């Protein structure tokens, strides 16, 4: 039986440069799921786009063929005319993209965008298409298909937009769906639900799926065939089970070793000590008022943070985990004094065990300067945290220049020393940031944060924009620095697995409230709150025998008023944090 | 890859799991921004040619007097409205060198016009590096050597002469000095004001932003031409041409800053959210330092492209003013002043060469536009 899609010896390059994809071979059979795994720069996205020939203008398919053999005929997608290809796109082969916000037109209603597929390929009238689209919307899980038909993309959440994209891809019943990292931009719980949906639809319609991802856990949950790519070439390819249980190629092994995992051992964690606290947040809240879109309605209050109480002991790491909109970044910014908490909240910072605390929420100028030398931040996006016009040396010595420490020569020496500490070499001082990779730039950010010899470093999702193997290197670097310099970290993340190894205590936030707080071993082994359970269950494991438990995810993923009675909270009724065991706090009604 | 149930494909090329973190990933991007912009700009043929052309024009400016055969105000009473003369190389089949035929004025009794007929029996060679009327080289040194001049007893009107018998070609070269520099002075004024107000509005936001925005909108809603006319009519008429020239440039610059301020403000609003700006703020940098060291350098190339696209507006503005007689006036020479003489239909119909000054204006404005477009397209060298 010939394959549905057959890629033979595909090579793609840009302009006159070397090929970015060389000699790629794989087959997708009808009804099968193939996962294309690779890190950034591996060529997986460009291979998929070559199937539908939606490559950037400067890209050329240098050799090879992509043959599509479905119920309507056979053709070579690399050589077929543009006109024929238009009949295939969206009709026989569809694609869903990574960023749903950017893939949907902001000016048209969702219903119209999805109906457009039927107008183009089936020649249906508007009302006929509407009926089919509403059925499809119901199928992909929109709670109110009629309302969704008439809404614009910006009115929906990320998960809903991705569902709309899936509806658009599936409405013409294609035989092959190409999903280019469809869940990377979504929260973990939403990811689990969207993946579950894709799997269900695939089972129902019997279509084939090419899933591009960098996450081995997603592969384990979805794929039957796996193709591992690195720098444009295939490293390993075959059935999923053997590769996931016993990888043969060194690169696949490296990917496995680097993938962070949630530990599952029977362990009791040691709670954070209560003495010698370097940072204390008491009753911190932050409310923003949003003007209502209709002028006569009252302003809406947005509670970014509510009643956050956190203690961070010297030399330890406190992790705040939450999805987007949980208030973790706001809490971090308040901790650093970049924003003021609502009156009544207090943030206290002690430079020495017996020193008077600096009240971060109300600092004088001199106090702020002194505080900034003690507390620094590492940012999320390595690509924009260094000014592209400044050489590395200027970027490194800037903190020293601002605080007027040392002569130029001394500043330069300190910068060189810091670079070596983070694993880079001194000759990089003269270079510009754009020459470096994401991981190297994040090291430079860490080195810059260290220049003032701070005691507290707030890491705002420092590894979320990095590849898995690089992520592991940065976390190791942070751990080493903490050990050697007795630093304290406030680590913000949306990924529980990443904090499992680095945190001494984990606080899980949802809608501005801390819902559970415990040392990581306790939290992962014995989570009590449904939201924490959902987060842990939604984390995809690279273990083929442990698929995502969607039941658990759905119990905790929804709005807080849909949870179990004991844990429910709304804007007006909020239970307090109860200490169920020493060091383990859960927000629930007792 | 055919389906092999148990066998899987494993790449057998050597793989180094410890690929060095010390190596640069994109060594071609390791260069200061201007170099990267230049590399990308080089691929824009039109922009490059325009840039080179404009550069040569500006380099030529101090030597305009050397290249022009006549002075800007040298009148020739016997050759009013003389047509352009051709430079001939061959006389009676033999190569003689560049020469012109003297023009003789004849009265045409049928149309009652003076006709200028070249005397083809009398070739006069053009003199090179000859003595002519005095001028100041680069405005400083008094010299009287010209690159080429008219032969004795003959005239060398390459592009004809105007109603006072002044050589149009020479006047265009002298006019370039004023017309091309008015843009530069105006741009400096406009830059300074635009960056100042735009950066303050974009960085601080809030009330300051609101106030500056309202000022910008008010200035932009004023009609341009009447405002120019009003301001230049207010210039005292007893000022020297040079002083009038400076005032005109400054007026044009002052009325142009709102456009630049708006684009500076928009760019600042987006740059302010970049993480390196937030990092600098968290390190304790003052607002001035953040604007100077982080925001402005990242915006400079946009500014230069905007400026290059604003210069044509100023050149055209000065031309319009002088054309209407309210900008520069005789004895100052600019292309607008020259076009002033071509204001009536009769002159253009009968003496079309008086409208030649339009050509250099068109060429220069086009060149600036192409250059600005090329710069703007090369401005983001980090996207590949």
């Amino acid at each position: 039986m010939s394959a549905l899609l057959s890629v033979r010896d595909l090579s793609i390059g840009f302009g006159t440069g070397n090929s970015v994809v060389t000699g790629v071979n794989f087959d997708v059979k009808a009804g099968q799921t193939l996962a294309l795994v690779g890190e950034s720069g591996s060529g997986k996205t460009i291979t998929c786009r070559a199937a539908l020939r939606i490559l950037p203008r400067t890209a050329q398919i240098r050799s090879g063929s992509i043959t599509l053999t479905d119920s309507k005929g056979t053709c070579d997608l690399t050589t077929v005319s543009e006109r024929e290809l238009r009949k295939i796109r969206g009709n026989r082969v569809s694609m869903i993209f990574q960023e749903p916000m950017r893939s949907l037109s902001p000016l048209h209603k969702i219903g119209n965008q999805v109906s457009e597929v039927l107008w183009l390929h089936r020649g249906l009238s508007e009302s006929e298409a509407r009926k089919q689209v509403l059925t499809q919307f119901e199928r992909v899980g929109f709670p109110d298909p009629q309302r969704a038909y008439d809404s614009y993309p910006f009115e929906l959440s990320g998960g809903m937009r991705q569902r709309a994209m899936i509806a658009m891809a599936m409405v013409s019943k294609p035989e092959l769906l190409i999903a280019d990292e469809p869940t990377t931009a979504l929260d973990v719980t939403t990811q689990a639900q969207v993946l579950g949906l894709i799997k269900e639809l695939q089972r129902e319609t019997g279509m084939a799926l090419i899933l591009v991802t960098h996450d081995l856990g997603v592969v384990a949950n979805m794929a039957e065939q796996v193709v591992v790519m690195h720098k444009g070439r295939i490293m390993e390819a075959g059935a999923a089970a053997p590769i996931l249980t016993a990888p043969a190629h060194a690169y696949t092994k490296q990917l496995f070793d680097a993938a962070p995992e949630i530990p599952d051992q029977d362990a009791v964690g040691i709670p954070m000590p209560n003495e010698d606290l370097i940072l204390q947040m008491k009753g911190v809240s932050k409310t923003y008022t949003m003007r209502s879109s209709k002028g006569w309605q009252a302003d809406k209050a947005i509670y970014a943070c509510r009643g956050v109480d956190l203690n961070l002991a010297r030399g330890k790491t406190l992790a705040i985990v939450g999805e987007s909109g949980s208030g973790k970044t706001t809490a971090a910014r308040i901790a650093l004094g970049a924003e003021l908490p609502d009156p009544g909240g207090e943030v206290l910072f002690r430079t020495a065990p017996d020193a008077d605390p600096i009240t971060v929420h109300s600092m004088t100028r001199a106090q702020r300067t002194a505080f900034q030398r003690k507390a620094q931040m590492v940012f999320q996006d390595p690509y924009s945290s260094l000014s592209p016009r400044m050489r590395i040396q200027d970027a490194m010595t800037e903190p020293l220049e601002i605080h007027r420490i040392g002569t130029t020569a001394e500043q330069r020496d300190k910068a060189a020393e810091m670079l070596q500490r983070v694993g880079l070499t001194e000759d990089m001082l003269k270079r510009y940031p754009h020459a470096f990779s994401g991981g190297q730039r994040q090291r430079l950010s860490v080195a810059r944060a260290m220049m003032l010899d701070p005691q507290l470093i707030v890491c705002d999702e420092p590894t979320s924009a990095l590849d898995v193997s690089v992520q592991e290197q940065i976390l190791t670097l942070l751990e080493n620095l903490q050990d050697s310099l007795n630093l304290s970290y406030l680590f913000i993340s949306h990924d529980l697995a990443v904090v499992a190894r680095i945190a001494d205590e984990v606080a899980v936030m949802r809608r501005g409230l801390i819902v559970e707080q415990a040392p990581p071993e306790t939290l992962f082994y014995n989570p009590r709150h449904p939201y924490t359970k959902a987060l842990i269950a939604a984390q995809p494991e690279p273990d083929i025998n442990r698929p995502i438990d969607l039941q658990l995810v759905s119990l905790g993923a929804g709005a807080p008023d849909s949870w179990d009675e004991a844990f429910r909270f709304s804007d007006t009724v909020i239970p307090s944090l109860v200490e169920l065991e020493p060091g383990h706090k859960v927000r629930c009604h007792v | 890859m055919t389906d092999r149930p148990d066998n899987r494909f494993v790449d057998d090329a050597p793989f180094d799991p410890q690929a060095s973190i010390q190596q640069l990933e994109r060594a071609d991007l390791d260069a200061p921004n201007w170099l990267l912009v230049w590399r990308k700009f080089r691929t824009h043929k039109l922009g490059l040619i325009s840039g080179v052309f404009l550069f040569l024009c500006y380099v030529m400016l101090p030597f305009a007097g050397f290249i022009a055969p006549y002075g800007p105000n040298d009148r020739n009473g016997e050759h009013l409205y003389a047509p352009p003369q051709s430079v001939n190389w061959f006389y009676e089949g033999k190569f003689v060198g560049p020469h012109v035929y003297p023009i003789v004025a004849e009265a045409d009794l049928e149309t009652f016009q003076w006709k200028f007929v070249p005397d083809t029996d009398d070739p006069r060679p053009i003199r090179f590096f000859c003595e002519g009327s005095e001028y100041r080289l680069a405005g400083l040194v008094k010299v009287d050597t010209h690159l080429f001049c008219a032969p004795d007893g003959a005239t060398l009107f390459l592009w004809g002469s105007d109603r006072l018998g002044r050589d149009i070609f020479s006047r265009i070269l002298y006019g370039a000095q004023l017309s091309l520099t008015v843009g530069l002075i105006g741009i400096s004024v406009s830059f300074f004001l635009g960056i100042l107000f735009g950066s303050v509005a974009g960085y601080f936001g809030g009330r300051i932003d609101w106030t500056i925005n309202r000022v910008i909108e008010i200035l932009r809603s004023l009609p341009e031409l009447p405002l120019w006319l009003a301001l230049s009519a207010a210039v005292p008429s007893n000022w020297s041409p040079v002083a009038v020239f400076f005032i005109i440039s400054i007026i044009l610059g002052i009325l142009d800053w709102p456009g630049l301020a708006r684009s500076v403000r928009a760019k600042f609003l987006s740059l302010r959210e970049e993480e390196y700006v937030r990092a600098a703020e968290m390190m304790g940098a003052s607002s001035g330092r953040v604007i100077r060291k982080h925001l402005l350098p990242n915006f400079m190339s946009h500014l230069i492209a905007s400026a290059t696209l604003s210069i044509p507006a100023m050149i055209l503005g000065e031309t319009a003013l002088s054309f209407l007689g309210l900008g520069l006036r005789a004895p100052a020479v600019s292309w607008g002043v020259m076009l002033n003489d071509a204001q009536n239909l009769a002159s253009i119909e009968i003496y079309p060469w008086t409208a030649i000054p339009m050509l250099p204006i068109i060429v220069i404005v086009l060149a600036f536009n192409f250059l600005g477009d090329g710069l703007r397209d090369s401005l983001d060298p980090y996207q590949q």
Side-chain angles (χ1 to χ4, degrees), chain A residues 257-258 260 317 421-423 442-443 446 462-463 466 468-485 487 489 491 498 501-502, chain B residues 21:
Chain A
D257 292 336
T317 305
R421 255 225 186 148
V422 298
Q442 203 63 308
R443 284 174 198 263
V446 171
T463 54
L466 301 173
V468 150
S469 41
V470 180
Q471 190 168 311
E472 200 235 336
Q473 293 169 356
I474 299 290
L475 288 175
T476 316
L477 169 68
L478 288 173
E479 283 172 349
N480 292 340
L481 285 173
Q482 184 176 40
D483 289 335
S484 54
L485 298 169
L487 296 170
Y489 289 148
F491 199 95
V498 163
R501 67 180 262 183
I502 198 173
Chain B
I21 56 165

Side-chain angles (χ1 to χ4, degrees), chain A residues 8 25-27 29 225 230 233-238 242-243 246-251 254 333 336 338 372 376-377 379-381 384-391 398-399 401-403 423-425 428 430-432 434-437 440 443 448 473, chain B residues 1-3 5-34 36 274-286 289 293-294 296-302 379 382:
Chain A
R8 288 277 171 273
N25 281 300
F26 60 84
D27 282 348
K29 290 211 167 50
Q225 294 280 326
H230 177 63
R233 293 177 37 242
I234 296 189
M235 297 283 119
E236 194 166 346
I243 291 188
H249 196 277
Y251 179 68
Q254 190 184 30
R333 287 174 64 84
L336 269 187
Q372 276 161 350
Q376 279 294 314
M377 190 157 172
F379 294 89
Q380 175 177 359
D381 187 1
S384 72
S385 47
L386 292 167
S387 172
R389 303 302 180 98
M390 292 172 85
R391 285 182 204 266
E398 186 169 13
E401 251 182 65
I402 295 175
H403 291 265
L424 299 170
T425 52
M428 293 181 176
K430 289 268 162 284
R431 307 207 181 271
Y432 285 87
H434 274 267
F436 297 100
S437 68
Q440 287 168 324
R443 284 174 198 263
R448 182 178 60 180
Q473 293 169 356
Chain B
M1 184 195 80
T2 52
D3 196 23
D6 282 315
N7 270 349
R8 44 178 128 152
F9 170 79
V10 179
D11 186 60
D12 45 12
F15 175 75
D16 173 25
Q18 299 300 329
S20 176
I21 56 165
Q22 320 263 345
Q23 279 170 338
L24 292 182
E25 189 176 294
R26 300 288 309 270
D28 57 323
L29 285 182
D30 176 33
N33 184 268
W34 60 265
L36 296 173
E274 290 279 335
E275 290 197 341
Y276 54 83
V277 174
R278 275 199 264 155
E281 286 170 358
M282 287 216 191
M283 269 186 250
S286 64
R289 190 193 167 94
K293 287 222 149 179
H294 291 271
L296 271 185
N298 278 299
F299 182 55
M300 255 318 159
S301 28
H302 285 266
L379 276 182
Y382 306 116

Side-chain angles (χ1 to χ4, degrees), chain A residues 338-387:
Chain A
E339 281 188 29
L340 289 173
D342 288 346
E346 283 188 350
V347 181
L348 302 171
F349 179 82
R350 289 186 179 77
T351 54
D354 46 353
D356 274 333
I358 302 179
T359 49
V360 177
H361 53 276
S362 59
M363 289 191 282
T364 63
R365 228 202 158 102
Q367 280 180 324
R368 184 176 281 273
T369 318
F371 176 67
Q372 276 161 350
R373 288 183 61 172
K374 297 285 171 219
Q376 279 294 314
M377 190 157 172
V378 174
F379 294 89
Q380 175 177 359
D381 187 1
Y383 293 95
S384 72
S385 47
L386 292 167
S387 172

Side-chain angles (χ1 to χ4, degrees), chain B residues 135-202:
Chain B
Y135 63 93
R136 278 177 182 274
L137 189 67
L140 301 168
V141 183
K142 275 202 190 163
V143 196
D144 60 5
T145 316
H146 290 255
L147 181 63
F148 60 95
C149 334
D152 281 330
T155 56
L156 182 56
F157 294 138
L158 285 176
W159 286 351
S161 72
D162 65 2
R163 72 182 165 86
L164 292 180
R166 299 173 294 197
D167 176 27
I168 288 187
F169 177 70
S170 310
R171 278 170 68 81
I172 284 185
L173 289 178
Y174 278 99
Q177 287 182 327
L178 289 185
S179 289
L180 289 182
T181 34
V182 73
L184 293 185
I185 298 180
I187 270 293
S188 325
V189 174
S190 166
F191 242 60
F192 175 69
L193 289 173
I195 293 181
L196 180 65
F197 288 111
S199 56
V200 163

